Coordinates of all heavy atoms in Angstrom, one line a residue:
M1 N 58.6 205.6 57.6 CA 57.6 206.2 58.4 C 56.7 205.1 59.0 O 56.2 204.3 58.3 CB 56.8 207.2 57.6 CG 55.7 207.8 58.4 SD 54.9 209.1 57.4 CE 53.3 208.3 57.1
L2 N 56.6 205.1 60.3 CA 55.7 204.1 61.0 C 54.3 204.6 61.1 O 54.1 205.8 61.4 CB 56.3 203.8 62.4 CG 55.5 202.8 63.2 CD1 55.5 201.5 62.6 CD2 56.1 202.8 64.6
Q3 N 53.4 203.8 60.7 CA 52.0 204.2 60.7 C 51.2 203.1 61.5 O 51.4 201.9 61.3 CB 51.5 204.3 59.3 CG 50.1 204.9 59.2 CD 49.7 205.1 57.8 OE1 50.2 204.6 56.9 NE2 48.7 206.0 57.6
R4 N 50.4 203.6 62.4 CA 49.5 202.7 63.2 C 48.1 202.9 62.8 O 47.6 204.0 62.7 CB 49.7 203.0 64.7 CG 48.9 202.0 65.5 CD 49.2 202.2 67.0 NE 50.6 201.8 67.2 CZ 51.3 202.0 68.3 NH1 50.8 202.6 69.3 NH2 52.5 201.6 68.4
V5 N 47.4 201.8 62.5 CA 46.0 201.8 62.1 C 45.2 200.9 63.0 O 45.6 199.8 63.3 CB 45.9 201.2 60.6 CG1 44.4 201.2 60.2 CG2 46.7 202.0 59.7
Y6 N 44.1 201.5 63.5 CA 43.2 200.7 64.3 C 41.9 200.3 63.5 O 41.3 201.2 62.9 CB 42.8 201.5 65.6 CG 43.9 201.8 66.5 CD1 44.6 203.0 66.4 CD2 44.4 200.9 67.4 CE1 45.7 203.3 67.2 CE2 45.5 201.1 68.2 CZ 46.1 202.3 68.1 OH 47.2 202.6 69.0
L7 N 41.6 199.1 63.5 CA 40.4 198.6 62.8 C 39.4 198.0 63.8 O 39.8 197.1 64.6 CB 40.8 197.6 61.8 CG 41.8 198.1 60.7 CD1 42.2 196.9 59.8 CD2 41.1 199.2 59.9
I8 N 38.2 198.3 63.7 CA 37.1 197.8 64.6 C 36.1 197.2 63.7 O 35.5 197.9 62.9 CB 36.5 198.8 65.5 CG1 37.6 199.4 66.4 CG2 35.4 198.2 66.4 CD1 37.2 200.6 67.2
T9 N 35.8 195.9 63.9 CA 34.8 195.2 63.1 C 34.2 194.0 63.8 O 34.9 193.5 64.7 CB 35.3 194.8 61.7 OG1 34.3 194.2 61.0 CG2 36.4 193.8 61.9
S10 N 33.0 193.6 63.4 CA 32.4 192.4 64.0 C 32.2 191.4 62.9 O 31.6 190.3 63.2 CB 31.1 192.7 64.7 OG 30.2 193.3 63.8
V11 N 32.7 191.7 61.7 CA 32.4 190.8 60.6 C 33.7 190.1 60.0 O 33.6 189.4 59.0 CB 31.7 191.5 59.4 CG1 30.3 191.9 59.9 CG2 32.5 192.7 58.9
A12 N 34.8 190.3 60.6 CA 36.0 189.7 60.1 C 36.9 189.3 61.3 O 36.9 189.9 62.4 CB 36.8 190.7 59.2
T13 N 37.7 188.2 61.0 CA 38.6 187.8 62.0 C 39.9 188.6 62.0 O 40.1 189.4 61.0 CB 39.0 186.3 61.8 OG1 39.7 186.2 60.6 CG2 37.8 185.4 61.8
G14 N 40.8 188.5 62.9 CA 42.0 189.2 62.9 C 42.9 188.8 61.7 O 43.5 189.6 61.1
A15 N 42.9 187.5 61.4 CA 43.6 187.1 60.2 C 43.1 187.7 58.9 O 43.9 188.0 58.0 CB 43.6 185.5 60.1
Q16 N 41.8 187.8 58.8 CA 41.2 188.4 57.6 C 41.6 189.8 57.5 O 41.9 190.4 56.4 CB 39.7 188.2 57.6 CG 39.2 186.8 57.4 CD 37.8 186.6 57.7 OE1 37.2 187.2 58.5 NE2 37.1 185.7 56.9
L17 N 41.5 190.6 58.6 CA 41.9 192.0 58.6 C 43.4 192.2 58.3 O 43.7 193.1 57.5 CB 41.6 192.6 60.0 CG 40.1 192.8 60.3 CD1 40.0 193.3 61.7 CD2 39.5 193.8 59.3
A18 N 44.2 191.3 58.8 CA 45.7 191.4 58.5 C 45.9 191.1 57.0 O 46.7 191.8 56.4 CB 46.4 190.4 59.3
A19 N 45.2 190.1 56.4 CA 45.4 189.8 55.0 C 44.9 191.0 54.2 O 45.5 191.4 53.2 CB 44.6 188.6 54.6
W20 N 43.8 191.6 54.5 CA 43.3 192.8 53.8 C 44.3 193.9 53.9 O 44.5 194.6 52.8 CB 41.9 193.2 54.4 CG 41.4 194.5 53.8 CD1 40.8 194.6 52.6 CD2 41.6 195.8 54.3 NE1 40.5 196.0 52.4 CE2 41.0 196.7 53.4 CE3 42.2 196.3 55.5 CZ2 41.0 198.1 53.6 CZ3 42.3 197.7 55.7 CH2 41.7 198.5 54.8
S21 N 44.8 194.2 55.0 CA 45.7 195.3 55.2 C 47.0 195.1 54.4 O 47.5 196.0 53.7 CB 46.1 195.4 56.7 OG 47.0 196.5 56.9
R22 N 47.5 193.8 54.4 CA 48.7 193.5 53.6 C 48.4 193.7 52.1 O 49.3 194.2 51.4 CB 49.2 192.1 53.9 CG 50.0 192.0 55.2 CD 50.7 190.7 55.3 NE 49.8 189.6 55.3 CZ 49.1 189.0 56.3 NH1 49.3 189.6 57.5 NH2 48.3 188.0 56.2
G23 N 47.3 193.3 51.7 CA 46.9 193.4 50.3 C 46.8 194.9 49.9 O 47.3 195.3 48.8
H24 N 46.2 195.7 50.7 CA 46.1 197.1 50.4 C 47.5 197.8 50.3 O 47.7 198.5 49.4 CB 45.3 197.8 51.6 CG 45.4 199.3 51.5 ND1 44.7 200.0 50.6 CD2 46.2 200.2 52.2 CE1 45.0 201.3 50.7 NE2 45.9 201.4 51.7
W25 N 48.4 197.5 51.2 CA 49.7 198.2 51.2 C 50.6 197.6 50.1 O 51.4 198.3 49.6 CB 50.4 198.1 52.6 CG 49.7 199.0 53.5 CD1 48.9 198.7 54.6 CD2 49.7 200.4 53.5 NE1 48.5 199.8 55.2 CE2 48.9 200.9 54.5 CE3 50.3 201.3 52.6 CZ2 48.7 202.2 54.7 CZ3 50.1 202.7 52.8 CH2 49.3 203.1 53.9
K26 N 50.3 196.4 49.7 CA 51.1 195.8 48.5 C 50.8 196.6 47.3 O 51.6 197.0 46.5 CB 50.7 194.4 48.3 CG 51.5 193.7 47.2 CD 51.2 192.3 47.0 CE 52.0 191.7 45.9 NZ 51.6 190.3 45.7
I27 N 49.5 196.9 47.1 CA 49.1 197.7 45.9 C 49.6 199.1 46.1 O 50.2 199.7 45.1 CB 47.5 197.8 45.8 CG1 47.0 196.4 45.4 CG2 47.1 198.8 44.8 CD1 45.5 196.3 45.6
E28 N 49.5 199.7 47.2 CA 50.1 201.1 47.5 C 51.5 201.1 47.1 O 52.0 202.1 46.5 CB 49.8 201.5 48.9 CG 50.4 202.8 49.3 CD 49.7 204.0 48.6 OE1 48.5 203.9 48.3 OE2 50.3 205.0 48.5
N29 N 52.3 200.2 47.6 CA 53.7 200.2 47.4 C 54.1 199.9 45.9 O 55.1 200.5 45.4 CB 54.4 199.2 48.3 CG 54.4 199.6 49.7 OD1 54.3 200.8 50.0 ND2 54.4 198.7 50.6
L30 N 53.4 199.0 45.2 CA 53.7 198.7 43.9 C 53.3 199.7 42.8 O 54.0 199.9 41.8 CB 53.1 197.3 43.5 CG 53.7 196.1 44.1 CD1 53.0 194.8 43.8 CD2 55.2 195.9 43.7
L31 N 52.2 200.3 43.0 CA 51.7 201.2 42.0 C 51.7 202.7 42.4 O 52.3 203.5 41.8 CB 50.2 200.8 41.7 CG 49.5 201.6 40.6 CD1 50.3 201.4 39.3 CD2 48.1 201.1 40.4
H32 N 51.0 203.0 43.5 CA 50.9 204.4 43.8 C 52.2 205.1 44.2 O 52.4 206.2 43.9 CB 49.8 204.6 45.0 CG 48.5 204.1 44.6 ND1 47.7 204.7 43.6 CD2 47.7 203.0 45.0 CE1 46.6 204.1 43.4 NE2 46.6 203.0 44.3
H33 N 53.0 204.3 44.9 CA 54.3 204.9 45.2 C 55.1 205.2 44.0 O 55.8 206.3 43.9 CB 55.1 203.9 46.1 CG 56.5 204.4 46.5 ND1 56.6 205.3 47.5 CD2 57.7 204.1 46.1 CE1 57.9 205.6 47.6 NE2 58.6 204.9 46.8
V34 N 55.1 204.4 43.0 CA 55.8 204.6 41.7 C 55.2 205.8 41.0 O 55.9 206.7 40.5 CB 55.8 203.4 40.8 CG1 56.4 203.7 39.4 CG2 56.6 202.3 41.4
R35 N 53.9 205.9 41.0 CA 53.2 207.1 40.4 C 53.5 208.3 41.1 O 53.7 209.4 40.5 CB 51.7 206.9 40.3 CG 51.3 205.9 39.2 CD 49.9 205.6 39.1 NE 48.9 206.5 39.5 CZ 47.6 206.3 39.7 NH1 47.2 205.0 39.5 NH2 46.8 207.2 40.1
D36 N 53.6 208.3 42.4 CA 53.9 209.5 43.2 C 55.4 209.9 43.1 O 55.7 211.1 42.9 CB 53.6 209.3 44.7 CG 52.1 209.2 45.0 OD1 51.3 209.6 44.1 OD2 51.8 208.7 46.1
R37 N 56.3 209.0 43.2 CA 57.7 209.3 43.2 C 58.3 209.4 41.8 O 59.0 210.4 41.5 CB 58.5 208.3 44.0 CG 58.1 208.2 45.4 CD 58.4 209.5 46.1 NE 58.0 209.4 47.5 CZ 58.2 210.4 48.4 NH1 58.7 211.5 48.0 NH2 57.8 210.2 49.6
T38 N 58.1 208.4 41.0 CA 58.8 208.4 39.7 C 58.1 209.3 38.7 O 58.8 210.1 38.0 CB 58.8 206.9 39.1 OG1 59.5 206.1 40.1 CG2 59.6 206.9 37.8
F39 N 56.8 209.3 38.6 CA 56.1 210.1 37.7 C 55.7 211.5 38.3 O 55.1 212.3 37.6 CB 54.8 209.4 37.2 CG 55.1 208.3 36.2 CD1 55.1 207.0 36.7 CD2 55.4 208.5 34.9 CE1 55.3 205.9 35.8 CE2 55.6 207.5 34.0 CZ 55.6 206.2 34.5
R40 N 55.9 211.7 39.6 CA 55.6 212.9 40.3 C 54.1 213.3 40.0 O 53.8 214.5 39.7 CB 56.6 214.0 40.0 CG 58.0 213.6 40.3 CD 59.0 214.7 40.1 NE 58.6 216.0 40.8 CZ 58.9 216.3 42.0 NH1 59.6 215.4 42.8 NH2 58.6 217.4 42.5
E41 N 53.2 212.4 40.1 CA 51.8 212.6 39.8 C 51.2 213.7 40.6 O 50.3 214.4 40.1 CB 51.1 211.3 40.0 CG 49.6 211.3 39.5 CD 49.0 209.9 39.6 OE1 48.9 209.4 40.7 OE2 48.5 209.5 38.5
D42 N 51.6 213.8 41.9 CA 51.0 214.9 42.7 C 51.3 216.3 42.3 O 50.6 217.2 42.6 CB 51.4 214.7 44.2 CG 50.8 213.4 44.8 OD1 49.8 212.9 44.3 OD2 51.4 213.0 45.8
D43 N 52.4 216.4 41.5 CA 52.8 217.7 41.0 C 52.2 218.1 39.6 O 52.5 219.1 39.0 CB 54.3 217.8 40.8 CG 55.0 217.7 42.2 OD1 54.4 218.0 43.2 OD2 56.2 217.3 42.2
S44 N 51.4 217.2 39.1 CA 50.8 217.3 37.8 C 49.9 218.6 37.7 O 49.2 218.9 38.7 CB 49.9 216.1 37.4 OG 49.3 216.3 36.1
K45 N 49.9 219.3 36.6 CA 49.1 220.5 36.4 C 47.9 220.2 35.6 O 47.1 221.0 35.2 CB 49.9 221.5 35.6 CG 51.2 221.9 36.3 CD 51.0 222.6 37.6 CE 52.4 223.0 38.2 NZ 52.3 223.1 39.6
I46 N 47.6 218.9 35.4 CA 46.4 218.5 34.6 C 45.3 218.2 35.6 O 45.3 217.3 36.4 CB 46.7 217.2 33.8 CG1 47.9 217.4 32.8 CG2 45.5 216.7 33.1 CD1 48.4 216.2 32.2
H47 N 44.3 219.1 35.5 CA 43.2 219.0 36.5 C 41.8 219.2 35.8 O 40.8 219.4 36.5 CB 43.3 220.1 37.5 CG 44.6 220.0 38.3 ND1 44.9 219.0 39.2 CD2 45.7 220.8 38.3 CE1 46.1 219.2 39.7 NE2 46.6 220.3 39.1
I48 N 41.7 219.1 34.5 CA 40.5 219.4 33.8 C 39.8 218.1 33.3 O 40.4 217.3 32.6 CB 40.7 220.4 32.6 CG1 41.3 221.7 33.2 CG2 39.4 220.6 31.8 CD1 41.8 222.6 32.1
G49 N 38.5 218.0 33.6 CA 37.7 216.9 33.1 C 38.2 215.5 33.4 O 38.6 215.2 34.5
R50 N 38.3 214.7 32.3 CA 38.8 213.4 32.4 C 40.3 213.2 32.3 O 40.8 212.1 32.4 CB 38.1 212.5 31.4 CG 36.6 212.4 31.5 CD 36.0 211.6 30.5 NE 34.5 211.5 30.7 CZ 33.7 211.3 29.7 NH1 34.1 211.2 28.5 NH2 32.4 211.3 30.0
L51 N 41.0 214.3 32.0 CA 42.4 214.2 31.7 C 43.2 213.6 32.9 O 44.1 212.8 32.6 CB 43.0 215.5 31.3 CG 42.5 216.0 29.9 CD1 43.0 217.4 29.7 CD2 42.9 215.1 28.8
P52 N 42.9 213.9 34.1 CA 43.7 213.3 35.2 C 43.6 211.7 35.2 O 44.5 211.0 35.4 CB 43.1 213.9 36.5 CG 42.5 215.2 36.1 CD 42.0 215.0 34.7
R53 N 42.3 211.2 35.0 CA 42.1 209.8 34.9 C 42.8 209.2 33.7 O 43.4 208.1 33.8 CB 40.6 209.5 34.9 CG 40.4 208.0 34.9 CD 38.9 207.7 35.1 NE 38.6 208.1 36.5 CZ 37.4 207.8 37.0 NH1 36.5 207.2 36.3 NH2 37.1 208.1 38.3
I54 N 42.8 209.8 32.6 CA 43.5 209.3 31.4 C 45.0 209.3 31.6 O 45.6 208.3 31.3 CB 43.2 210.2 30.2 CG1 41.7 210.1 29.8 CG2 44.1 209.9 29.0 CD1 41.2 211.1 28.8
M55 N 45.5 210.3 32.2 CA 47.0 210.3 32.5 C 47.3 209.2 33.5 O 48.4 208.6 33.4 CB 47.4 211.7 33.0 CG 47.4 212.7 31.9 SD 48.4 212.3 30.5 CE 50.0 212.1 31.2
A56 N 46.5 209.0 34.5 CA 46.8 207.9 35.5 C 46.7 206.6 34.8 O 47.6 205.7 35.1 CB 45.7 208.0 36.6
S57 N 45.8 206.4 33.9 CA 45.8 205.1 33.1 C 47.0 204.9 32.2 O 47.5 203.8 32.2 CB 44.5 205.1 32.2 OG 43.4 205.2 33.0
L58 N 47.5 206.0 31.6 CA 48.7 205.9 30.8 C 49.9 205.6 31.7 O 50.8 204.8 31.3 CB 48.9 207.2 30.0 CG 47.9 207.4 28.9 CD1 48.1 208.8 28.3 CD2 48.0 206.4 27.8
R59 N 50.0 206.2 32.9 CA 51.1 205.9 33.8 C 51.0 204.4 34.3 O 52.0 203.8 34.3 CB 51.0 206.8 35.0 CG 51.4 208.3 34.7 CD 51.3 209.1 35.9 NE 51.4 210.5 35.6 CZ 50.4 211.4 35.6 NH1 49.2 211.1 36.1 NH2 50.6 212.7 35.3
N60 N 49.8 203.9 34.5 CA 49.6 202.5 34.9 C 50.1 201.6 33.8 O 50.7 200.6 34.0 CB 48.2 202.2 35.3 CG 47.8 202.9 36.6 OD1 48.6 203.3 37.4 ND2 46.5 203.0 36.8
L61 N 49.8 202.0 32.5 CA 50.2 201.2 31.4 C 51.7 201.1 31.3 O 52.3 200.1 31.2 CB 49.6 201.8 30.1 CG 50.1 201.1 28.8 CD1 49.7 199.7 28.7 CD2 49.6 201.9 27.6
A62 N 52.3 202.3 31.5 CA 53.8 202.3 31.4 C 54.4 201.5 32.5 O 55.4 200.8 32.3 CB 54.3 203.8 31.5
I63 N 53.9 201.6 33.7 CA 54.4 200.8 34.8 C 54.2 199.3 34.5 O 55.2 198.5 34.7 CB 53.7 201.2 36.2 CG1 54.1 202.6 36.6 CG2 54.0 200.2 37.3 CD1 53.2 203.2 37.7
G64 N 53.1 198.9 34.1 CA 52.8 197.5 33.8 C 53.7 197.0 32.7 O 54.3 195.9 32.8
V65 N 53.9 197.7 31.6 CA 54.8 197.3 30.5 C 56.2 197.2 31.0 O 56.9 196.2 30.7 CB 54.7 198.3 29.3 CG1 55.9 198.1 28.3 CG2 53.4 198.2 28.7
H66 N 56.7 198.2 31.8 CA 58.1 198.1 32.3 C 58.3 197.1 33.3 O 59.4 196.6 33.5 CB 58.5 199.5 32.7 CG 58.7 200.4 31.6 ND1 59.5 200.2 30.5 CD2 58.2 201.7 31.3 CE1 59.4 201.2 29.6 NE2 58.6 202.1 30.1
R67 N 57.3 196.7 34.1 CA 57.5 195.7 35.1 C 57.7 194.3 34.4 O 58.3 193.4 35.0 CB 56.3 195.6 36.0 CG 56.2 196.7 37.0 CD 55.5 196.2 38.3 NE 55.1 197.3 39.1 CZ 56.0 197.9 39.9 NH1 57.2 197.5 40.0 NH2 55.6 198.9 40.7
Q68 N 57.3 194.1 33.2 CA 57.5 192.9 32.5 C 58.9 192.8 31.9 O 59.3 191.7 31.5 CB 56.4 192.8 31.4 CG 55.0 192.6 31.9 CD 54.0 192.6 30.7 OE1 54.4 192.6 29.6 NE2 52.8 192.5 31.1
G69 N 59.6 193.9 31.8 CA 60.9 194.0 31.2 C 61.9 193.5 32.3 O 61.6 193.0 33.3
D70 N 63.2 193.7 31.9 CA 64.3 193.2 32.8 C 65.0 194.3 33.5 O 66.1 194.1 34.1 CB 65.3 192.4 31.9 CG 65.9 193.2 30.8 OD1 65.4 194.4 30.6 OD2 66.8 192.7 30.1
H71 N 64.4 195.5 33.6 CA 65.0 196.6 34.4 C 64.7 196.4 35.9 O 63.7 195.8 36.3 CB 64.4 197.9 33.9 CG 64.7 198.2 32.5 ND1 66.0 198.7 32.1 CD2 64.0 198.1 31.3 CE1 66.0 198.8 30.8 NE2 64.8 198.5 30.3
T72 N 65.6 196.9 36.7 CA 65.5 196.8 38.1 C 64.5 197.8 38.7 O 63.9 197.5 39.7 CB 66.9 197.0 38.8 OG1 67.4 198.3 38.4 CG2 67.8 195.9 38.4
T73 N 64.3 198.9 38.1 CA 63.4 199.9 38.6 C 62.6 200.5 37.4 O 63.1 200.5 36.3 CB 64.1 201.1 39.3 OG1 64.9 201.8 38.4 CG2 64.9 200.5 40.5
I74 N 61.4 201.1 37.7 CA 60.7 201.7 36.7 C 61.4 203.0 36.2 O 61.4 203.3 35.0 CB 59.3 202.1 37.2 CG1 58.5 200.9 37.6 CG2 58.5 202.9 36.2 CD1 58.2 199.9 36.5
A75 N 62.1 203.7 37.1 CA 62.8 204.9 36.7 C 63.9 204.5 35.7 O 64.1 205.2 34.7 CB 63.4 205.6 37.9
A76 N 64.6 203.4 35.9 CA 65.7 203.0 35.0 C 65.0 202.6 33.6 O 65.6 202.9 32.6 CB 66.4 201.8 35.6
A77 N 63.9 201.9 33.7 CA 63.2 201.5 32.4 C 62.8 202.8 31.6 O 62.9 202.8 30.4 CB 62.0 200.6 32.8
L78 N 62.3 203.8 32.3 CA 61.9 205.0 31.6 C 63.0 205.7 31.0 O 62.9 206.2 29.9 CB 61.1 205.9 32.6 CG 59.8 205.4 33.1 CD1 59.3 206.4 34.2 CD2 58.8 205.4 32.0
R79 N 64.2 205.8 31.7 CA 65.4 206.4 31.1 C 65.8 205.6 29.9 O 66.2 206.2 28.9 CB 66.5 206.5 32.2 CG 66.2 207.5 33.3 CD 67.4 207.7 34.1 NE 67.8 206.5 34.8 CZ 67.4 206.2 36.0 NH1 66.5 206.9 36.7 NH2 67.8 205.1 36.6
H80 N 65.8 204.3 30.0 CA 66.3 203.5 28.9 C 65.3 203.7 27.7 O 65.8 203.9 26.5 CB 66.3 202.0 29.3 CG 66.6 201.1 28.1 ND1 67.8 200.9 27.6 CD2 65.7 200.3 27.4 CE1 67.8 200.0 26.6 NE2 66.5 199.6 26.5
T81 N 64.0 203.7 27.9 CA 63.1 203.8 26.8 C 63.1 205.2 26.2 O 63.0 205.4 25.0 CB 61.6 203.6 27.4 OG1 61.6 202.3 28.0 CG2 60.6 203.6 26.3
A82 N 63.4 206.2 27.0 CA 63.5 207.6 26.5 C 64.7 207.9 25.6 O 64.7 208.8 24.8 CB 63.5 208.6 27.7
R83 N 65.7 207.0 25.6 CA 66.9 207.3 24.8 C 66.7 207.0 23.3 O 67.5 207.4 22.5 CB 68.0 206.4 25.3 CG 68.5 206.9 26.7 CD 69.7 206.1 27.1 NE 70.0 206.3 28.5 CZ 70.0 205.4 29.4 NH1 69.7 204.2 29.1 NH2 70.2 205.7 30.7
D84 N 65.6 206.3 22.9 CA 65.4 206.0 21.5 C 63.9 206.0 21.3 O 63.1 205.4 22.0 CB 66.0 204.6 21.2 CG 65.8 204.2 19.8 OD1 65.1 204.8 19.0 OD2 66.5 203.2 19.4
C85 N 63.5 206.8 20.3 CA 62.0 207.0 20.1 C 61.3 205.7 19.6 O 60.1 205.7 19.7 CB 61.8 208.1 19.0 SG 62.5 207.8 17.4
R86 N 62.0 204.7 19.2 CA 61.4 203.4 18.8 C 61.2 202.5 20.0 O 60.4 201.6 19.9 CB 62.3 202.7 17.8 CG 62.3 203.5 16.5 CD 63.3 202.9 15.6 NE 64.6 203.1 16.2 CZ 65.8 203.2 15.5 NH1 65.8 203.2 14.2 NH2 66.9 203.4 16.2
R87 N 61.9 202.7 21.1 CA 61.8 201.8 22.2 C 60.4 201.7 22.9 O 60.0 200.6 23.3 CB 62.8 202.1 23.3 CG 64.2 201.7 22.8 CD 65.3 202.1 23.9 NE 66.6 201.7 23.4 CZ 67.7 202.2 23.9 NH1 67.7 203.0 24.9 NH2 68.8 201.8 23.4
P88 N 59.7 202.8 23.0 CA 58.3 202.7 23.6 C 57.4 201.8 22.8 O 56.7 201.0 23.3 CB 57.8 204.1 23.6 CG 59.0 205.0 23.6 CD 60.0 204.3 22.8
L89 N 57.5 201.9 21.4 CA 56.7 201.0 20.6 C 57.1 199.6 20.7 O 56.3 198.6 20.7 CB 56.8 201.5 19.1 CG 56.2 202.9 18.9 CD1 56.5 203.3 17.4 CD2 54.7 202.9 19.2
T90 N 58.4 199.3 20.8 CA 59.0 198.0 21.0 C 58.5 197.4 22.3 O 58.1 196.2 22.4 CB 60.5 198.0 20.9 OG1 60.9 198.5 19.7 CG2 61.1 196.6 21.1
A91 N 58.5 198.2 23.4 CA 58.1 197.8 24.7 C 56.6 197.4 24.7 O 56.2 196.4 25.4 CB 58.3 198.9 25.7
L92 N 55.8 198.0 23.8 CA 54.4 197.7 23.7 C 54.2 196.6 22.7 O 53.0 196.1 22.6 CB 53.6 198.9 23.3 CG 53.5 200.0 24.3 CD1 52.9 201.3 23.7 CD2 52.6 199.6 25.5
G93 N 55.2 196.1 22.1 CA 55.1 195.0 21.1 C 54.5 195.4 19.8 O 53.9 194.7 19.1
L94 N 54.6 196.7 19.5 CA 54.1 197.3 18.2 C 55.0 197.3 17.1 O 54.6 197.7 16.0 CB 53.5 198.7 18.5 CG 52.4 198.7 19.6 CD1 52.0 200.2 19.8 CD2 51.2 197.9 19.1
T95 N 56.3 196.9 17.3 CA 57.3 196.9 16.2 C 58.0 195.6 16.2 O 58.0 194.9 17.3 CB 58.3 198.0 16.3 OG1 59.0 197.9 17.5 CG2 57.6 199.4 16.2
G96 N 58.5 195.2 15.1 CA 59.2 193.9 15.0 C 60.7 194.1 15.3 O 61.5 193.5 15.8

């Protein structure tokens, strides 16, 4: 999907705006896209109190742990980890 964004400012150069924009979309693509697609966060039924923020933090933890592994995708890492109840603890470094 092509998206066009117009930015108007008097406090930044074009190069600074381009760097900011690239940094924003890098985060969007690395984290939020995975949370939206792999974890289907937008379909979550958790909407009470602090629980949505807690679940987002747990998803971020899972993404961070699996990015350090040797899997090609987060989805593949989740499938691999789910096959054995000891693997999540091993991925977190909690077992020997």
Side-chain angles (χ1 to χ4, degrees):
M1 177 172 108
L2 180 62
Q3 187 174 20
R4 183 172 291 170
V5 178
Y6 295 98
L7 302 171
I8 300 172
T9 182
S10 62
V11 295
T13 66
Q16 290 169 326
L17 288 175
W20 173 82
S21 181
R22 282 190 300 274
H24 168 78
W25 286 109
K26 181 178 181 183
I27 292 169
E28 177 69 26
N29 291 334
L30 287 176
L31 182 61
H32 298 293
H33 180 76
V34 173
R35 283 178 28 195
D36 290 343
R37 298 294 181 179
T38 304
F39 288 101
R40 299 184 57 84
E41 189 173 56
D42 292 341
D43 296 336
S44 176
K45 303 296 182 206
I46 300 172
H47 301 291
I48 298 172
R50 296 182 179 149
L51 291 176
R53 183 172 289 188
I54 292 169
M55 289 304 300
S57 297
L58 291 172
R59 290 180 188 111
N60 289 345
L61 173 64
I63 292 167
V65 167
H66 290 306
R67 285 209 193 280
Q68 294 176 3
D70 57 354
H71 295 283
T72 56
T73 66
I74 299 298
L78 291 172
R79 287 189 299 272
H80 174 78
T81 304
R83 290 187 193 117
D84 183 345
C85 63
R86 293 172 294 212
R87 287 181 182 163
L89 296 175
T90 302
L92 290 169
L94 298 176
T95 61

